[in-house]
Amino acid sequence: MAAQIDLHCHSTISDGALSPQDLVAHAAKSGVKVLALTDHDDMGGLQAARKASSEHDISFINGVEISATWKRRTLHIVGLKIDSENSALKTALDKVRIGRDERAQEMAAGLAKIGIHGAYEGAVAIANQSILTRSHFAQFLVQSGHAKDVRTVFKKFLVKGKPGFVDHQWMTLEEAVSLINASGGSAVIAHPGRYDLGTINMLLLMHEFRSLGGAAIEVVTGSHTPPQFQQFAKIAHKFSLKCSIGSDYHGPGLSYMAMGSVPELPAGCVPVWDDWEEARHLT
Ligand code: AMP
Ligand code: MN
Ligand code: MN
Ligand code: MN
């Protein structure tokens, strides 16, 4: 049976295709009962999503997906039940967004060196006032005929060693976890299977994250295969971390997993929502 909770998805506030309102309507239609919106480094959609949720009989959870750097790698840390009015969190995310803009300009400069001009302006036009992400560059590069699809674009232009990649310094893991905790939220490592860390670094990360006050890891996510659901359920248990579920939905045709079709947590997992009032009707 599919889970009725989805704690990771994106709207047009970051790189999703649906507005917060349309995303909530889509979630409701797909059978989701408890939903967190987790845009990249931006809490700007939470108010509208919360309002729409109340009209669709969905319990809404404030969320954000924070970009962080750990051992020179980019990690995504989801904050759940954060206070979107917390000034330290707001200020820190404002700073990340300024950094994103600078990074986007450097990415465009890298692409200009290989003869692709106007990528910054192109990405800005596609982003339509939302934050600038590699997804927007990918869409620009596809639309301007430099690759056949988004998948190919990432491989050719936007990953380490390629002309449009910039080794950006995000906030530290420690800062991300502290900001989330200080605003009353729970910190969750997003899609841990995607970081290509190797066994030792994966265990080091789990240990350090737990010591810093991290609460949970995503076990069931659109980025994991079913064997990885089991693998990360075991890791969560080993490090006394709770477990989360999220589609990482970005919009029709863009997501790894459709909303409303995300499997439930494997047996033995402690859900990150086990003490949440908003999710009491699920357990
Ligand atoms: P950024 O945070 O600007 O580095 O952008 C990262 C976003 O790009 C992710 O959240 C995904 O939505 C998207 N992305 C990253 N890698 C890929 C990939 N290989 N194929 C498609 N989308 C990707
Ligand atoms: Mn994204
Ligand atoms: Mn992510
Ligand atoms: Mn995401």
Side-chain angles (χ1 to χ4, degrees), residues 8 40 65 76 191 194 248:
H8 188 153
H40 296 286
E65 182 174 16
H76 287 171
H191 41 65
R194 240 171 67 179
D248 210 354

Side-chain angles (χ1 to χ4, degrees), residues 10 15 40 250:
H10 297 270
D15 56 350
H40 296 286
H250 280 70

Side-chain angles (χ1 to χ4, degrees), residues 255-274:
S255 59
Y256 292 94
M257 210 178 254
M259 269 191 162
S261 70
V262 183
E264 300 207 56
L265 288 174
C269 282
V270 181
V272 66
W273 61 87
D274 71 339

